[in-house]
Each structure stands twice: as structure tokens, then as C-alpha cells.
Amino acid sequence: MSQLSASDAERTPDTLDLSGAGAASEGGCSSGETMREAARKAGKSEILDQYAKDYPVEPDTGPHDQPQSMCPAFGSLRVGLRMKRTATVLSGSACCVYGLTFTSHFYGARRTVGYVPFSSETLVTGKLFEDIKEAVEDLADPAHYDAIVVTNLCVPTASGVPLRLLPDQINGVRIIGIDVPGFGIPTHAEAKDVLAGAMLKYAREEAEQGPVAAPAAKAADTSSDRPSVTLLGEMFPADPIGIGQLLEPLGLTAGPVVPTREWRELYSALDCGAVAAIHPFYTAAIREFNAAGRPIVGSAPVGIDGTANWLRQIGDTFDIAPTKVDKAVDASTQAIKTALGRMPIKGRITVSGYEGSELLVARLLIESGAEVPYVGTACPSTMWSDWDREWLEDMGVRVNYRASLEEDIAAIEEFGPDLAIGTTPVVQHAKAKAIPALYFTNLISARPLMGPAGAGSLAQVVNGAMENKARFDTMREFFEGVGEGHATGIWEETPVDRPKFRKKYAALNEAARKAAEAVGT
């Protein structure tokens, strides 16, 4: 195997206007429908049908009938790279592995990424599967690894590379094979669920066969046998601690966070009294918890109303005396109310992102005093976010699931916010219009949201950003007249736009790409 790292270019617009050019109108990194049809013919119908059920895409919501996101495989790759004693192997086009590896290292992964390359010959003859199997056998050293995750990217999935035929374990090392094609998984957030669900399934079946080992941390802690609540969804490291403090008066404790950081934590996650779907789109993981007989609690302890509702749901689930629950609710909500009062937020804010916690952030902003007319999330609607959606809609918020970039930008145009919170291109658009903006992933997700610790946590960065409005106005005035788009800059003669040229060469590029893609099929 070889290790790759590279830069991942900023994503170009997702649509190509090829009308009348004699080429297909679908752009992006692959022709989704062509690849999907190939995958079905190659025997991948069952997994694609399951993905369509787990991660539904509303029709006509965007240029791909799905939101724009980075390559979905980044999500599952990131989950595996964060786990101790877990090896990661990718099978896909070199350019895909190149970008995914760089992006993972950019986000702090200091772990080797294994890569099994292929050629047209190894792909069509089945030799690629043998190469993957050989690579995994060479890697499966129980002294170093508990598990090896093998991921098919778009081309191997479309070609039907059968990872299900890999052994369940080699030398005692668990082998987890998953398909994460861009034409089957809408967002990288949901790809996290693909791997989390696969690991939970494996761990659940292990536990059903007999005793399993406890995580090192739990094995060393014999002081508490309280029932636990497993937390579903990646979150700021302080949030599980805050949730644990909310649960303590109820005689409960916060369990592991799924996706976990080590294999043994999966057993503890399954060995819980209930699961809190903090991020409500983990459909595959929820399916495994349901199979283990664990009840699911939706929403999250965010703000005054959210915390009160969530604690009462927990109380009902564990059949805790109402008086005990009321006492815990009163104590926590009073602390949250005090914290919110100390750091109010005044202004109109639009919220969008692809992390899955966008509705929770909007709720906290509203209880902090902000006006939030719009929330867009790339994730789907599920029953576990219904309470948050209903609360927001009662507050007059437009909630948009599976939001496209175009819809998020349209909301900025419509509502003229004092601050836009969103993805990189949303932030770019807002700042170009002299509207302060914050990147959701790095600046909002990097703060606690739950309980008293979350109350007021957003105020400093949000208020600070809105106070910069005057600076944006000054910069816009300074650069007034330098041009935009093709005419950006200062010219003696302004360049003439040539849309027909762009259309012609876009069509030629698309045709060449399709011809290259068809090689070997």
C-alpha cells in the first residue's frame, strides 16, 4: 500500500450550463446516475436501496437533488482516523484518495491512510478485490490494531468490488468493509453514520455471542454503577461533561459518545439505558440501538425550553419520579436563564451548515435574544428532530432540510441579516456584500451548546462579528469599482465576458470525462 496526501481545491460551482451543447447536464465529481446504474448492475442494489432509505433526498432541492458537501467519504474517513488502534484503507481513484487524505490531515489526523490503487485491468478482472484482501491480511496485526476499516469510494462501488466477501476478522483483527459512494450518500455527515452503524452492528453481534472487554477508562472506574445515556453525534468535548452534570441529579450518567474513540467503547455505548440522538440523522446507528432494545430520546439539552423538555423525556424513559425530575429541571433552567441574561445577543441571524446541529444552534441563538428567520441544514428531516423543528417554526423560523447552497444564499438576500452563519461559500457570499459572517464548522461547532455551559457560549463570537459591520462597510467603500467576477480588478479595458466559450469547453470537458469514465466498463 502507498500513502498519499495532497491539496483539495476549493469546490467549483456544482452546475454546468450545457443546454443545447449535446452533453449531459449533470456535473460534479462524477455522473451520479451513470455510476448508480453501474453499481446496481454490479450487484450493489441492496446497499444503495438501504442508503436511499436511511438518507432520503428530497426531489428538486438542488443541482444534484442533494445538498452540496465535500466528498461524503471524508465523514467516514474522519471517524476511523479518530479511533485508537484502528487502521483505515481506501479503495478508489487516485485523485479522490489524494484529496481525502489531505483534507483529513488538514483537520488534524496524524494517522497513515492506506490506499489500494487499481487500473482498468484490475478493476474489471476482479484483481482489485484480491489486492484489497492481500493488503488487509498484511496489515492485520493484533499487536497494533483492533479493527481495519476498508472503504470503497465511487468507482470500486460502481464496479461492484465485493467488500462483503472479506473475512470478518484476520488474526483476531476485525475487518469492517463499507461502500461510501458520492452517488449514494448525500453528505459527509451521514457517511459518519455509515461507519458508526457498521461498527455498532459488529460490536452488538460480538456482545450477543458472549462477554466482551470493557474500555480501559470504565474498567478503572468502579465507583459508579448508575444507568447511562449514550450520546449520539460528534460534539464539542465539554458538552458530554455538561450533559453528565445535568443527568447526575436524576441518578444517571453520560455514557460514551458515538462515533467512539476506541473499539471497546462501542460495547459500553450499547450497554446503556437510553440513547440521546443529539445529532438526529444517525439512522444506521439508531437501527443498531433499536436492535439492542435501547430507547431513543430526541432533541438535546439546549437553552431553557430544550433542556427542560429533554430532561423530562429522560425522566419518562427511565421512569424517574416526576418530583425528582422537576427539581433537576428547575435547577438547570435557572442556571441557563441566568447565563443567557448575562450575555444577550441582539440582531438578525441566518443559520446554515452541514454538521447536523444547525437547529440546536438556532434555538440557542433565539433564547439568547437573536432574531433567526432562517435555518438551513444539509441533513435530512427525521423524527428525532421534530421537536426542534416544531419549536423553531412556532418562533416563526423557516426550517429548510436538505438545503442547497443556492437556498442558503437566497435566504441572505431575502432577510438581509446582521450576521450570516454558514458554510464557506455562504460566508464568502455574505462578506462580499459587507455582511459579517461566521463559518459554522470552525467557529460555532467549536463551542459548547448544552446546558448552562452552552448558554452564552456563542454570544462573544456572535456579538463580536456583528460589531465588525462598520469595518466591512469601510472595506467595501475602499474597493468600490474594482469589478466583480470576470471583471475583477482595475483595467484600462474591462475584459469581455464570453459565456458561449465557457459553455462550449464545458461541454467538451464533460464529454471527455464521460469517455474516460467509460473505459473498462
Side-chain angles (χ1 to χ4, degrees):
M1 292 185 298
S2 60
Q3 180 184 356
L4 298 176
S5 63
S7 64
D8 188 18
E10 184 177 347
R11 185 167 188 165
T12 55
D14 288 80
T15 56
L16 293 174
D17 183 6
L18 306 179
S19 56
S25 62
E26 186 169 2
C29 59
S30 67
S31 176
E33 195 55 45
T34 301
M35 301 281 269
R36 194 176 296 111
E37 289 178 9
R40 290 190 178 280
K41 291 178 181 178
K44 295 286 185 177
S45 291
E46 183 179 354
I47 189 65
L48 290 179
D49 288 343
Q50 185 64 61
Y51 287 162
K53 182 179 179 181
D54 287 348
Y55 316 115
V57 177
E58 299 298 328
D60 304 322
T61 57
H64 291 292
D65 291 336
Q66 70 181 57
Q68 297 94 324
S69 169
M70 66 181 73
C71 172
F74 171 65
S76 56
L77 177 62
R78 189 176 183 187
V79 167
L81 290 175
R82 284 180 162 186
M83 291 185 67
K84 300 176 183 177
R85 292 178 51 82
T86 299
T88 297
V89 178
L90 296 178
S91 173
S93 299
C95 57
C96 301
V97 177
Y98 188 75
L100 284 167
T101 306
F102 167 79
T103 308
S104 297
H105 292 316
F106 179 82
Y107 277 90
R110 299 183 219 177
R111 201 84 63 81
T112 296
V113 178
Y115 170 41
V116 181
F118 64 85
S119 64
S120 296
E121 179 182 353
T122 61
L123 192 65
V124 301
T125 62
K127 181 65 166 56
L128 175 57
F129 174 76
E130 297 300 325
D131 291 344
I132 292 172
K133 185 172 180 290
E134 182 181 351
V136 172
E137 289 171 343
D138 291 343
L139 196 60
D141 182 353
H144 295 99
Y145 301 115
D146 293 326
I148 298 173
V149 178
V150 186
T151 303
N152 268 345
L153 303 180
C154 287
V155 173
T157 297
S159 300
V161 176
L163 295 183
R164 66 183 183 281
L165 297 183
L166 290 172
D168 290 338
Q169 61 86 26
I170 300 174
N171 298 329
V173 178
R174 303 162 185 85
I175 310 301
I176 313 292
I178 56 175
D179 291 277
V180 189
F183 55 84
I185 311 295
T187 67
H188 79 281
E190 289 157 297
K192 297 175 185 178
D193 178 51
V194 172
L195 181 52
M199 288 186 163
L200 281 168
K201 183 178 189 297
Y202 197 120
R204 177 177 61 79
E205 291 173 349
E206 284 184 313
E208 289 172 350
Q209 294 171 7
V212 293
K218 186 170 182 179
D221 181 13
T222 58
S223 62
S224 174
D225 293 323
R226 291 176 292 169
S228 66
V229 178
T230 292
L231 308 177
L232 187 54
E234 291 183 311
M235 61 194 79
F236 186 70
D239 277 332
I241 298 171
I243 292 174
Q245 292 171 344
L246 293 173
L247 293 171
E248 188 173 1
L250 301 179
L252 306 173
T253 186
V257 175
V258 176
T260 62
R261 296 303 180 96
E262 65 170 294
W263 185 270
R264 291 183 180 185
E265 286 183 344
L266 293 164
Y267 306 135
S268 296
L270 289 161
D271 184 26
C272 65
V275 177
I278 304 296
H279 287 195
F281 59 85
Y282 278 79
T283 311
I286 288 174
R287 181 166 57 248
E288 296 307 318
F289 284 118
N290 284 335
R294 307 303 182 224
I296 314 297
V297 175
S299 191
V302 169
I304 298 171
D305 290 351
T307 301
N309 169 70
W310 189 81
L311 286 174
R312 290 196 169 98
Q313 285 191 81
I314 293 291
D316 291 342
T317 301
F318 285 88
D319 197 22
I320 298 171
T323 53
K324 191 173 185 178
V325 174
D326 288 342
K327 185 176 180 180
V329 168
D330 290 343
S332 60
T333 53
Q334 184 56 50
I336 293 170
K337 184 177 181 180
T338 300
L340 291 175
R342 282 198 301 263
M343 302 194 73
I345 297 174
K346 301 299 180 184
R348 177 180 294 177
I349 303 172
T350 57
V351 178
S352 57
Y354 45 52
E355 299 295 333
S357 56
E358 290 77 25
L359 275 65
L360 302 180
V361 168
R363 292 187 51 183
L364 190 55
L365 289 171
I366 289 171
E367 289 204 12
S368 298
E371 176 192 353
V372 180
Y374 173 85
V375 179
T377 176
C379 295
S381 172
T382 71
M383 62 183 293
W384 313 115
S385 67
D386 280 349
W387 200 86
D388 300 313
R389 174 186 54 76
E390 291 167 2
W391 189 93
L392 288 167
E393 289 176 344
D394 286 344
M395 295 290 177
V397 181
R398 182 195 304 166
V399 179
N400 189 17
Y401 292 101
R402 289 289 190 224
S404 69
L405 170 61
E406 291 81 1
E407 289 168 331
D408 291 339
I409 287 177
I412 294 176
E413 298 295 320
E414 178 180 353
F415 295 109
D418 301 303
L419 174 71
I421 295 174
T423 57
T424 302
V426 170
V427 168
Q428 180 185 25
H429 176 84
K431 288 183 176 180
K433 296 179 68 65
I435 297 173
L438 295 172
Y439 178 36
F440 190 102
T441 300
N442 285 8
L443 295 172
I444 302 301
S445 292
R447 283 167 172 74
L449 297 177
M450 315 297 168
S457 66
L458 300 179
Q460 184 175 3
V461 66
V462 166
N463 287 332
M466 287 192 288
E467 289 170 2
N468 279 330
K469 170 64 175 171
R471 295 176 62 189
F472 280 99
D473 290 337
T474 300
M475 286 190 289
R476 190 173 191 183
E477 289 176 12
F478 179 82
F479 288 106
E480 189 71 34
V482 298
E484 295 181 355
H486 73 279
T488 299
I490 300 174
W491 309 87
E492 291 184 4
E493 293 184 12
T494 303
V496 178
D497 193 14
R498 306 284 187 181
K500 290 185 178 179
F501 286 3
R502 288 202 305 273
K503 181 183 294 187
K504 174 182 177 181
Y505 286 107
L508 291 173
N509 282 333
E510 178 71 1
R513 186 192 63 75
K514 282 187 173 294
E517 182 183 280
V519 173
T521 60

